[in-house]
Amino acid sequence: MSTLHGSVCFEQARRVAVFGGTHNEMSGVTLVNLWVKNGAEIQRKGLEARPFITNPRAVEKCTRYVDTDLNRAFSPENLSAPGGDDLPYEVQRAQEINRLFGPKGSPEAYDVIFDLHNTTSNMGCTLILENSKDHFNLQMMNYIKKAVAPACCLVLLNEHPLLKYSTSRSVAKHPVGLEVGPQPQGVLRSIFESMRIILKHALDFIELFNEGVEFPACTVEVFRVLERVDYPRDTNGNIIAMVHPNLQDCDWEPLTPGDPMFQTFDGKTIYYQGPGTVYPTFINEAAYYEKQQAFVTTRREALVASTIRKFLH
């Protein structure tokens, strides 16, 4: 990457991976398995697009993971740990993925990794970014959002230093997560077609960029992760309340101080007492009970993406 006359220049994106099965979520597993058999749909001129099942043992067992969450396993400590069968399966798998698509942080790493996920929350189609300064990804998000209009496609920026985690996609130079929901765990719904369409537009963007198209500066609305909110618990750590009916399924809708947030099992309402309006998401996500998370709060903000062009040698 370099900067030239107000533009940001990137090398051509030659290698792209599409990950499914990081959590055995059915849309990504189904699409990747389709493309492993016939990848014509995701191939583009001058681009190698590789579909890949990240956690095959979990997919085979129809479980979220075997030993530990693969999407939290790509830390420097795990990737540099001495290999061996005594390591948790997902740590072994993280090291293998890092060898195949990385090494993480190196010039040899894949240019883009799309990691396909489903959520039980009512989030619709959500693109997840990890870096507000990644102008390539910001331009891609802008292109996708315009291409799928009027369908809803939101951008979640997970850049919080304490809540950001070591994702499988973080091996790439430009990591992109895609959450589509609501979809129950272990179930396939037709919303997987939305995931398919978004990925098509993303690959179209990369092909256009590689062909030399310049993308002018633009503004992208994002929802920046602020904090994790847990369920109310008793002194033994047991959950004593559920998401309030007024909040359930209201991902991305404003939550203002004084709004109902939880309802205790004896019928009392717990109200949001934050300093200002936030936009909750991942509301009542089934997989996050073990992570002690009822939802995350976000704030809306606009990011400016610089003009980008292909680096000319």
Side-chain angles (χ1 to χ4, degrees):
M1 183 184 77
S2 66
T3 303
L4 180 67
H5 305 307
S7 299
V8 181
C9 300
F10 294 94
E11 295 286 347
Q12 181 172 332
R14 298 181 181 278
R15 295 190 301 164
V16 172
V18 183
F19 285 178
T22 298
H23 290 142
N24 184 43
E25 290 155 346
M26 294 303 293
S27 292
V29 171
T30 301
L31 286 170
V32 167
N33 280 332
L34 278 172
W35 294 327
V36 167
K37 292 178 182 175
N38 181 1
E41 182 180 341
I42 59 170
Q43 298 308 320
R44 298 292 187 277
K45 183 180 176 183
L47 178 68
E48 173 204 335
R50 181 175 178 183
F52 187 79
I53 295 291
T54 44
N55 197 336
R57 198 176 292 179
V59 171
E60 184 180 335
K61 289 176 172 287
C62 200
T63 186
R64 185 171 173 84
Y65 54 78
V66 177
D67 293 324
T68 190
D69 191 336
L70 179 62
N71 214 34
R72 309 292 189 276
F74 288 77
S75 65
E77 296 76 20
N78 282 343
L79 296 181
S80 62
D85 293 340
D86 56 329
L87 288 175
Y89 169 70
E90 278 79 9
V91 175
Q92 296 179 50
R93 191 65 180 161
Q95 292 183 349
E96 176 66 12
I97 289 169
N98 192 51
R99 283 193 293 270
L100 289 172
F101 299 96
K104 183 175 177 177
S106 76
E108 292 76 35
Y110 264 56
D111 297 294
V112 184
I113 291 176
F114 298 100
D115 195 16
L116 309 182
H117 289 263
N118 288 117
T119 173
T120 63
S121 301
N122 189 31
M123 290 173 63
C125 297
T126 304
L127 294 153
I128 302 179
L129 301 183
E130 301 187 3
N131 183 353
S132 60
K133 301 294 193 293
D134 187 340
H135 296 280
F136 183 90
N137 270 354
L138 285 171
Q139 286 283 2
M140 188 194 306
M141 300 307 100
N142 184 60
Y143 181 90
I144 294 169
K145 284 167 68 72
K146 286 184 174 180
V148 300
C152 183
C153 186
L154 299 164
V155 179
L156 179 67
L157 175 62
N158 188 18
E159 203 176 33
H160 192 293
L162 298 179
L163 302 185
K164 186 177 178 180
Y165 44 90
S166 304
T167 60
S168 56
R169 58 187 174 269
S170 66
V171 170
K173 296 168 187 168
H174 305 290
V176 180
L178 178 53
E179 289 276 0
V180 176
Q183 180 168 287
Q185 295 172 327
V187 171
L188 183 65
R189 296 178 65 176
S190 60
I191 58 171
F192 94 101
E193 288 291 351
S194 299
M195 181 177 282
R196 194 175 199 166
I197 290 166
I198 288 171
L199 195 65
K200 171 203 175 302
H201 291 306
L203 292 168
D204 289 347
F205 167 86
I206 297 172
E207 182 179 36
L208 289 170
F209 173 80
N210 287 345
E211 289 177 344
V213 173
E214 179 179 293
F215 292 89
C218 64
T219 301
V220 183
E221 182 185 72
V222 303
F223 290 80
R224 181 185 289 272
V225 171
L226 296 177
E227 65 175 341
R228 177 191 298 119
V229 179
D230 191 14
Y231 297 90
R233 297 175 185 271
D234 63 19
T235 54
N236 295 320
N238 299 309
I239 292 173
I240 59 170
M242 56 191 162
V243 171
H244 193 277
N246 288 17
L247 179 59
Q248 180 64 50
D249 297 326
C250 293
D251 294 72
W252 309 118
E253 296 183 18
L255 180 69
T256 59
D259 285 347
M261 185 168 59
F262 294 107
Q263 184 173 291
T264 65
F265 299 147
D266 57 3
K268 296 176 183 174
T269 298
I270 298 173
Y271 298 94
Y272 176 62
Q273 300 296 331
T277 299
V278 293
Y279 297 83
T281 194
F282 282 112
I283 297 172
N284 206 14
E285 161 62 50
Y288 288 168
Y289 277 74
E290 70 175 32
K291 301 187 188 304
Q292 299 186 324
Q293 177 179 305
F295 57 89
V296 296
T297 60
T298 72
R299 72 163 181 257
R300 292 171 72 165
E301 62 181 70
L303 298 179
V304 175
S306 297
T307 299
I308 69 166
R309 64 175 73 174
K310 184 172 71 170
F311 186 77
L312 300 175
H313 293 276

